[in-house]
């Protein structure tokens, strides 16, 4: 039997154990399990890796716990501008969306762009028009409103700092969600979705929707979804660099990701993590922060949901 | 004496010799020479590679001949939405701007983002606000209006095709401008600027403003600026791939770019070219189209302006 499986993340950062009471911790674990379980079911039934990562990311986008979809943080202007991308490792096809508002599931929009658009990356209000044209679910601002997120913005506005989701005080976390999967046919896929940074200005776009930077998949090497301080992931071309090291240096997924997260990114000054899977079903979940919300379910029986 | 020099491009494509009369050809040569000469002067005086590529790209942005700045093509909605990026190979710092209107020199905006913003990539109307805050030159729609470009849009609207600048009929050309430079201190830099595709829709962003995709510089390897069908350059992570092959496979700049442009990109179905320079002052100008507007001036006396 061919191996298959899925890994997901819900963001990395200085997640404070002190601030995580029993109920809150439980809620995160439940959401992570729900997400990878739905993705895994797609794979078990013989479905595509692309469909599995979309199923999993939708669960995380629909949860208020994570900085993506419903749980997206506020920009400086008090808006929710979201980024997402998907890549299919079989044909190196990809779709991404940047700075889009009101779309319930940006990862679905990225998928439609991959399948139906001549373009790879759409942005802004016009990307919203594209979502409407393709009858994706649109939600009003109230759907995305969250008191915690709003207070986060007010604090950030006072200090005029951009904050990387919970990246403040004792609870620093880079808010992104993502999934990588290997299906029974040996195809790899990766998807990432985010609400970006609290108090971000000027239409900032991070690494998440950018192919090769925050999201990458190639059947010859690996599927990668990143979470962290996006600007450093962009300058380091992180997702593709893992693939390049595997292809050109013959490194394993583990060797390549260890180097990129624990050496290259650290040298640049960047913090965060990533999830990766290769064609043998080997999964890696490296991060150079205190924690990363993550989960794994593989056809060999491996199952994991973890935060610290 | 340390070698130094600059290479520039003004787009690649099926440039028709039949349509290029003597005067038109002369105008392109003059513009190319003007651009690389100004960039070269910066280097000769001991200036920085980043300043040299900016000087050269500004000349090309200010010319109506190229699809960037003043000469930008029209989007589906009849707007001029421009993308640009710059990268400094010394510290791997970078700045980019996507889908911005009315900024006379998007490459200058990319530079200011690199130096003054916490972010790497800004987009849309909010990027215009950022440009105004930093007192960059803003021009009205009339400045960017060009009858040829407008007719190009009308033809594209009729057929509802996106066209890659002059990518229609007998005069197919991918409209982008860019420059790469090596300065006397051994620092590399790359910059790219474009008006994108005629009749582009939904806030499409191409490869030009994206670090590692259309633009990349790293003192350890090379500086690259791409021009071509952006979607394929994004899926191929083209600019960084050249650097990765040099770093990981030990290929020369020529070997790496030959592979990427003439094998990898062709296999994906993508057309276009790129310009590159390494720390020894070696320049490459590969393209898999019929022509590419290009120019070179190096400290060893090499000087070239060419189209076909």
């Amino acid at each position: 039997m061919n191996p298959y499986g899925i890994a997901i993340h819900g963001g990395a950062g200085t997640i404070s154990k002190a601030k995580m009471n029993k109920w809150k911790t439980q809620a995160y674990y439940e959401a992570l399990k729900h997400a990878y379980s739905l993705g895994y079911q797609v794979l078990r039934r013989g479905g595509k890796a692309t469909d599995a990562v979309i199923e999993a990311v939708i669960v995380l986008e629909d949860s208020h716990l994570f900085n993506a979809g419903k749980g997206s943080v506020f920009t400086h202007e008090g808006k929710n501008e979201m980024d997402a991308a998907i890549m299919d490792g079989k044909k190196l096809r990809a779709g991404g969306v940047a700075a889009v508002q009101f779309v319930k599931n940006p990862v679905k929009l990225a998928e439609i762009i991959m399948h139906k658009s001549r373009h790879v990356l759409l942005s802004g209000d016009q990307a919203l028009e594209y979502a409407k044209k393709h009858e994706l679910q649109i939600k009003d601002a109230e759907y995305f409103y969250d008191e915690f997120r709003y207070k986060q913005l007010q604090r950030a506005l006072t200090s005029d700092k951009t904050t990387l989701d919970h990246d403040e005080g004792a609870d620093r976390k880079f808010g992104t969600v993502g999934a990588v999967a290997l299906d029974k046919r040996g195809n790899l896929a990766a998807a990432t979705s985010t609400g970006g940074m609290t108090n971000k200005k000027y239409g900032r776009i991070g690494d998440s929707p950018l192919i090769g930077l925050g999201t990458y998949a190639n059947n010859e090497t690996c599927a990668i979804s990143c979470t962290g301080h996006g600007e450093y992931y962009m300058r380091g071309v992180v997702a593709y660099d893992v693939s390049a090291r595997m292809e050109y240096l013959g490194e394993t997924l583990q060797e390549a990701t260890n180097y990129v997260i624990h050496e290259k990114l650290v040298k640049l000054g960047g913090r965060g993590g990533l999830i990766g899977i290769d064609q043998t079903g080997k999964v890696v979940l490296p991060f150079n922060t205190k924690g990363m919300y993550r989960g794994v379910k593989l056809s060999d029986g491996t199952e994991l949901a973890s935060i610290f």
Side-chain angles (χ1 to χ4, degrees), chain A:
Chain A
M1 195 190 77
N2 294 330
Y4 59 92
I6 186 164
I8 62 166
H9 71 77
T14 309
I15 303 161
S16 164
K17 271 194 189 180
K19 283 198 177 179
M20 291 290 282
N21 65 42
K22 195 179 110 186
W23 296 107
K24 197 172 167 185
T25 306
Q26 194 60 30
Y28 275 102
Y29 279 126
E30 289 298 336
L32 292 169
K33 282 180 191 177
H34 182 198
Y36 69 63
S37 299
L38 281 193
Y40 185 80
Q41 278 175 35
V42 172
L43 299 170
R44 194 174 49 79
R45 291 193 305 261
K48 294 178 182 172
T50 47
D51 291 333
V53 294
I54 288 166
E55 283 293 322
V57 168
I58 284 175
V59 170
L60 301 169
E61 284 180 340
D62 289 349
S63 164
H64 68 94
L65 295 172
F66 305 100
N67 176 23
K70 182 170 173 52
S72 292
V73 299
F74 287 99
T75 68
H76 184 71
E77 293 80 14
K79 298 180 193 171
N80 302 109
E81 282 180 359
M82 301 171 287
D83 300 338
I86 184 166
M87 188 159 185
D88 172 358
K90 188 181 177 189
K91 295 189 172 176
L92 303 182
R93 288 186 311 168
V97 60
V100 73
Q101 294 183 73
F102 307 123
V103 174
K104 177 169 171 279
N105 294 111
V107 74
K108 285 286 292 177
L109 177 52
E111 183 200 16
I112 291 199
I113 291 165
M114 177 171 74
H115 287 308
K116 303 198 172 173
S117 172
R118 287 180 283 242
H119 302 321
V120 167
L121 181 60
L122 305 184
S123 67
D125 295 342
Q126 297 177 59
L128 173 59
E129 290 310 308
Y130 189 80
K132 287 178 180 170
K133 185 183 158 193
H134 287 89
E135 297 176 356
L136 287 183
Q137 269 190 280
I138 307 300
K139 294 286 188 178
D140 58 17
E142 201 180 336
Y143 171 82
F144 297 95
Y145 181 80
D146 181 277
E147 202 183 337
F148 171 72
R149 299 299 191 198
Y150 192 71
K151 284 184 179 165
Q152 215 176 14
L153 172 62
Q154 300 313 314
R155 283 195 298 275
L157 284 172
T158 309
S159 65
D160 196 34
K161 280 185 184 159
T162 43
T163 67
L164 292 149
D165 190 13
H166 300 213
D167 190 11
E168 42 179 324
D171 188 23
R172 292 171 180 274
K173 178 163 71 67
F174 299 100
T176 316
V177 307
V180 294
L182 166 69
D183 67 28
K184 288 181 177 176
R185 289 190 192 80
N187 293 318
L188 296 173
T192 312
S193 181
T194 185
M197 304 158 95
T198 297
N199 196 26
K200 70 179 174 183
K201 288 183 190 175
Y202 306 119
R204 178 256 189 187
I205 298 172
D207 62 316
S208 303
L210 307 181
I211 302 310
L213 281 56
T215 306
Y216 188 72
N218 185 335
N219 277 4
E220 303 301 316
T221 52
C222 59
I224 301 289
S225 171
C226 298
T227 171
H229 195 142
E231 275 66 16
Y232 296 94
Y233 281 71
M234 296 164 85
R235 293 166 53 201
V237 197
V238 164
Y240 182 73
D241 199 33
V242 173
S243 174
R245 292 183 73 87
M246 291 176 70
E247 184 176 354
Y248 301 145
L249 294 177
E251 288 188 348
T252 63
L253 176 61
Q254 181 145 23
E255 288 165 345
T257 52
N258 273 347
Y259 172 79
V260 169
I261 295 298
H262 296 298
E263 291 188 45
K264 178 176 172 171
L265 203 56
V266 170
K267 207 172 141 193
L268 275 173
R271 291 183 306 126
L274 62 75
I275 55 173
I277 192 167
D278 67 17
Q279 268 204 326
T280 70
K282 169 84 185 161
V283 164
V284 293
L285 312 150
F287 50 95
N288 64 29
T289 49
K290 282 201 178 168
M292 178 168 79
Y293 297 100
R294 59 202 187 277
V296 177
K297 192 166 167 69
L298 305 177
S299 58
D300 68 4
T302 304
E303 184 170 346
L304 163 92
S306 194
I307 300 178
F308 302 102

